Amino acid sequence: MATYLITGASRGIGLELTRQLLELPTSQVSKIFAVARNTESDGIKQLEQKYPDRLYPVSASVDNTASVQQAVEVVKAKLNGQSLDVLVNNAGISGQTNGTIKDMELDQLTQILDVNVVGVQRVTAAFFPLLEQGSQKKIINVYV
């Protein structure tokens, strides 16, 4: 009975991975923590209604350390003494410019790096103590 935490779970790959894992029997996947900035998305709400005892939406933004630390506390409480087995770092953003790389604003590039690179480290470091207690101890980083 593995426990999963998936960032960027409100849409796209994160939501689909959450859906597919929830379709597995409880003997394989017991709990999934769907971490997203917007846990009120239609996709998460539909899955929460279908799997209320296995899906736990957790509001957090990977580019905000305080937000991630609050998420750790929420997850710890919901685990109720269990450990975290698998962390899937899936949250990410892409930049848009009206031209070439030389046209990208430095603030935009900084935000992209904060979410896509620093955010992965921020989340991994914060949840590492819970992963160390797990039986699988897996970290999966999704890059698209």
Side-chain angles (χ1 to χ4, degrees), residues 69-81:
Q69 289 301 327
Q70 287 173 347
V72 170
E73 295 308 314
V74 168
V75 170
K76 247 191 237 185
K78 297 283 185 190
L79 281 170
N80 198 22

Side-chain angles (χ1 to χ4, degrees), residues 4-53:
Y4 284 75
L5 184 138
I6 303 168
T7 65
S10 64
R11 60 189 182 94
I13 293 170
L15 181 61
E16 181 60 20
L17 177 60
T18 301
R19 185 190 64 73
Q20 288 187 25
L21 286 169
L22 286 166
E23 289 178 354
L24 296 174
T26 307
S27 60
Q28 291 180 338
V29 178
S30 62
K31 293 180 182 177
I32 298 177
F33 297 95
V35 177
R37 286 178 292 169
N38 177 17
T39 55
E40 298 296 317
S41 73
D42 290 341
I44 289 180
K45 284 295 181 192
Q46 289 171 3
L47 290 175
E48 189 179 22
Q49 288 173 358
K50 191 172 180 181
Y51 303 98
D53 57 335

